[in-house]
Structures are given as C-alpha cells and as structure tokens.
Amino acid sequence: MPITRNVTLDIMRTVAIVLMVIFHFAYDLRFFGWVDWSVPNGPGWKQFRYVILSLFFLSVGASLVFAHHQRVDLKSFAKRIMWIVVWACVISLFTYWFFNSHWIFFGVLHFIAVASVLCLPFARYPVMACFIGIGIITLFLTNVVTSKWPFNLWELGLPSSPNDYVALFPWVGVVLLGIGVGHMFIKGIDPCASLKLSTKITFLGRHSLAVYVLHQPLFFVTLGSVYWLSHSVM
C-alpha cells in the first residue's frame, strides 16, 4: 500500500529550513557589520541553532524510513548522497574563499551525507535505532565522547572554530531517533494531518536541499552589493 505524504514531516522540514534561513540572514547581517548580534554562538542564538538542527536531523531519519522501510533502494540512495556530497564540497570551497580560517569542513550537508550512510542500515529497525541513538546522545552528554570526535584524533590543519560545524556526537543520535519517529509516521500517526495545509505552504520543506544550497549565495550577493554601494557612496 503506497504511503501518502506525511503533513507533520513536511511541516518539520519547512519550519527547519525557514528558521535556518532566518539564522543565516542574521549571521550575514553581523558579517557585514550592520548588527552586533552574537550570532552564531551567543546566548539564545546557540539554542536557536540547536532547535533548527534537531528538526532537520529528525526529518533526515524519518525520511530514511519513508524511502527505505520496505527495502533499501541503493540506487536512489546513492544518487541523493552523491548530490549532497557535491554541494557539500561546493560549500566548503565557497566558505574557504570567503571565510578562510573559519571555512566549513563538516557542516550540515557533510553531516547529512555521513549520517545517512551510517544510519541507513537501521532504517527498518526503529527500536534498535532509538536505543543506539539514546546511547550516542548519552555518551556525548556524559563527556565520554567530545563534539570534536573524530577530527581531534589527527593533526589535519582544520580550523579550530569552523562555521556551521555539526558534530557526529550527539547529532547522529538525533538522526537515529528520527528513524523511530519515521516509523510512527508510516503507521499513520500524523498530528498535523487535520490542518489540511496547501502544498504551497510546505514547498520550501519539500525542496530543502535546493533552498539550503541557494539561500546563502543569494544573501551574500544581495547584502554584499548593498554593502559595496553604501561604502562607495561615502
């Protein structure tokens, strides 16, 4: 029996991508010196980012279930991962050029690619996924494993304070919990189904990769142009 779209999952993705766009816009305003907000690691902003990542990675786990709960489709999985890796590399090159000492070597897309590969074997086993996910989060919260693992094991010449760094611990655990959420969704649990939202409202969430890749270059071109014009007139 085919599974229709889950409204709650679409809303989760949409809220996550909208909040991330807001977060990055605030960061860019600070980058160009128009505000003095403590983005991204100041009080409030750090917690805001945690909310965004939690929604994103729960959605990643749930999406693995929707795509592979009956059988693992390696062809479609490999194709999607390939595109994510390509765009992750583009982002690394872009940020190396503009930010240099803070370039993104393991950001959201890098993490999603790696976490998807690690978590795919558990897509059909929600109980195991949740237990392992809770274990990974516990290891992080008890400081058994740090957020820098495994990049702290070698001298790689990576930036000490990169932009948009996403740690394997604890976030892989959140993706695994998302697998548990996904299995609830495919059983018909959809708290937001009664909202009967237009698909236009969740358009951004259903095209989150494209939005994620495009919004920062657009912000930089727009804000950079305004910054250049404002300073050239002075």
Side-chain angles (χ1 to χ4, degrees):
M1 181 179 176
I3 300 173
T4 58
R5 298 201 68 90
N6 186 279
V7 178
T8 303
L9 180 56
D10 283 343
I11 290 175
M12 284 173 59
R13 288 200 200 100
T14 301
V15 171
I17 199 69
V18 169
L19 293 180
M20 180 165 285
V21 168
I22 293 171
F23 183 86
H24 284 161
F25 185 69
Y27 177 88
D28 293 344
L29 289 176
R30 178 179 178 271
F31 178 81
F32 285 104
W34 288 326
V35 297
D36 60 357
W37 302 334
S38 53
V39 187
N41 294 316
W45 289 106
K46 179 183 289 188
Q47 290 74 22
F48 186 36
R49 182 172 182 262
Y50 289 165
V51 171
I52 296 168
L53 294 181
S54 296
L55 288 172
F56 253 129
F57 299 151
L58 286 172
S59 299
V60 169
S63 297
L64 285 175
V65 175
F66 272 77
H68 306 289
H69 74 282
Q70 292 182 327
R71 67 178 183 87
V72 175
D73 187 343
L74 287 177
K75 184 177 180 179
S76 65
F77 178 78
K79 182 179 179 180
R80 177 167 176 77
I81 294 300
M82 178 192 71
W83 278 112
I84 293 174
V85 169
V86 167
W87 285 115
C89 292
V90 169
I91 288 172
S92 289
L93 292 172
F94 176 83
T95 56
Y96 186 81
W97 178 266
F98 281 99
F99 299 104
N100 201 314
S101 60
H102 302 285
W103 65 283
I104 298 173
F105 69 86
F106 200 74
V108 170
L109 293 187
H110 307 71
F111 171 84
I112 289 175
V114 172
S116 295
V117 172
L118 293 176
C119 296
L120 179 64
F122 304 100
R124 299 173 62 188
Y125 307 101
V127 175
M128 185 184 300
C130 288
F131 271 115
I132 296 174
I134 292 170
I136 288 172
I137 294 170
T138 302
L139 288 175
F140 171 76
L141 293 176
T142 54
N143 295 316
V144 175
V145 181
T146 72
S147 62
K148 297 298 183 181
W149 189 90
F151 301 107
N152 60 342
L153 301 179
W154 309 279
E155 290 293 333
L156 300 174
L158 297 171
S160 58
S161 57
N163 288 328
D164 204 33
Y165 176 70
V166 179
L168 289 176
F169 285 77
W171 296 111
V172 168
V174 176
V175 176
L176 289 167
L177 293 180
I179 289 176
V181 173
H183 276 271
M184 290 192 295
F185 285 166
I186 64 172
K187 290 179 180 178
I189 297 175
D190 190 352
C192 298
S194 60
L195 298 178
K196 300 186 184 302
L197 297 177
S198 167
T199 54
K200 294 180 181 179
I201 295 176
T202 57
F203 176 85
L204 295 179
R206 290 181 288 109
H207 298 85
S208 56
L209 178 58
V211 176
Y212 183 86
V213 167
L214 293 175
H215 78 282
Q216 273 292 60
L218 289 174
F219 283 165
F220 254 72
V221 169
T222 303
L223 295 176
S225 298
V226 174
Y227 178 85
W228 180 81
L229 288 172
S230 64
H231 283 70
S232 63
V233 172
M234 295 174 61

